[in-house]
């Protein structure tokens, strides 16, 4: 599905939303998240300001969220392909976490949402995005999680939502506090057992 696409949403509405999100991506790259206005986005999309608000009732914050989710969907598509090829659940966890850390560090549009310059302007959007981000991640990894749990490779007493939130917190801390040495060692010793072994 595209940006903000909902089942039953008219194609014309979907196309306009895609156009706005694409314009927002270009504006963020050119001006930065903090300095981009709804007027900038509307102009880049060749639409009126009113049309942007009709498509995104939440205004700028909702557009920011959709840009974040679009980038996240692209990453999750790549992650799903990698998980499908993994033969080891522990290594899937380790490499998946490292991929996510690299993704946030390497994607300017995502990283921009976390910089001090943008923080004051996007705090509401980022805070409101947490639930959507966690739900999207959980939905994408659910098939692999269920299979691994059924095969006894993951703890039976954990949920995919809880596991994703736990890993999300680990990923966030690794971005803020990179640490020394190979992060794989830390992940294998402390993170993998939390998901694969009963306490």
């Amino acid at each position: 599905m595209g940006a903000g696409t909902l089942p039953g949403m008219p194609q014309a509405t979907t196309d306009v939303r895609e156009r706005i999100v694409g314009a927002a991506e270009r504006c963020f790259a050119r001006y930065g998240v903090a300095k981009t206005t709804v007027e900038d986005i509307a102009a880049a999309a060749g639409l009126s300001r009113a049309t942007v608000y009709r498509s995104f009732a939440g205004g700028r914050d909702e557009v920011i969220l959709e840009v974040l989710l679009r980038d996240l969907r692209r990453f999750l598509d790549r992650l799903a392909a990698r998980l499908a090829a993994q033969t080891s659940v522990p290594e899937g966890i380790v490499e998946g976490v490292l991929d996510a850390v690299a993704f946030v560090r390497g994607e300017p549009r995502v990283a921009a949402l976390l910089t001090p310059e943008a923080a004051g302007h996007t705090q509401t959007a980022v805070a409101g995005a947490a639930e959507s981000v966690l739900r999207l991640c959980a939905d994408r990894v659910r098939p692999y999680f269920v299979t691994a749990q059924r095969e006894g490779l993951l703890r039976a007493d954990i949920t995919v939502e809880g596991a994703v939130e736990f890993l999300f917190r680990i990923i966030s801390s690794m971005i803020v506090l990179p640490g020394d040495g190979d992060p794989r060692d830390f992940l294998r010793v402390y993170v993998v057992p939390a998901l694969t072994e009963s306490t």
Side-chain angles (χ1 to χ4, degrees), residues 11 27 29 33 47 52 65 88 106-107 109 131 177 181 188 199:
Q11 186 61 43
C27 288
V33 176
L47 300 167
V52 174
L65 172 58
S88 163
E107 284 284 344
R109 287 183 292 267
E131 185 178 342
L177 301 169
R188 287 175 184 139
T199 55

Side-chain angles (χ1 to χ4, degrees), residues 116-134:
E117 175 203 14
H121 297 269
T122 64
Q123 187 174 7
T124 301
V126 173
E131 185 178 342
S132 296
V133 167
L134 291 174

Side-chain angles (χ1 to χ4, degrees), residues 7-29:
M9 181 180 285
Q11 186 61 43
T13 301
T14 300
D15 291 346
V16 169
R17 285 173 64 89
E18 291 280 3
R19 187 169 160 186
I20 292 167
V21 172
E25 286 183 318
R26 295 192 298 276
C27 288
F28 293 163

Side-chain angles (χ1 to χ4, degrees), residues 64-198:
I64 290 170
L65 172 58
E66 284 300 332
V67 171
L68 173 62
L69 292 178
R70 175 186 271 190
D71 283 331
L72 182 60
R73 288 184 191 101
R74 290 169 180 157
F75 165 71
L76 289 173
D77 286 343
R78 297 194 300 271
L79 179 62
R82 181 161 187 161
L83 289 175
Q86 279 288 342
T87 56
S88 163
V89 168
E91 288 308 298
I93 293 169
V94 169
E95 297 306 322
V97 167
L98 293 180
D99 281 355
V101 171
F103 162 69
V104 174
R105 287 180 178 157
E107 284 284 344
R109 287 183 292 267
V110 176
L113 295 173
L114 306 176
T115 61
E117 175 203 14
H121 297 269
T122 64
Q123 187 174 7
T124 301
V126 173
E131 185 178 342
S132 296
V133 167
L134 291 174
R135 184 170 57 247
L136 178 59
C137 292
D139 287 346
R140 287 297 180 92
V141 303
R142 192 180 309 278
Y144 309 100
F145 184 94
V146 169
T147 299
Q149 207 168 39
R150 187 171 54 239
E151 294 174 357
L153 301 173
L154 287 174
R155 284 171 45 186
D157 62 331
I158 60 176
T159 65
V160 64
E161 291 80 8
V164 165
E165 182 176 350
F166 170 66
L167 292 176
F168 191 88
R169 293 176 186 275
I170 295 294
I171 290 162
S172 298
S173 69
M174 290 178 69
I175 291 167
V176 175
L177 301 169
D180 299 321
D182 188 347
R184 288 177 176 82
D185 294 336
F186 168 79
L187 293 170
R188 287 175 184 139
V189 172
Y190 297 102
V191 176
V192 169
L195 299 174
T196 60
E197 298 177 5
S198 298

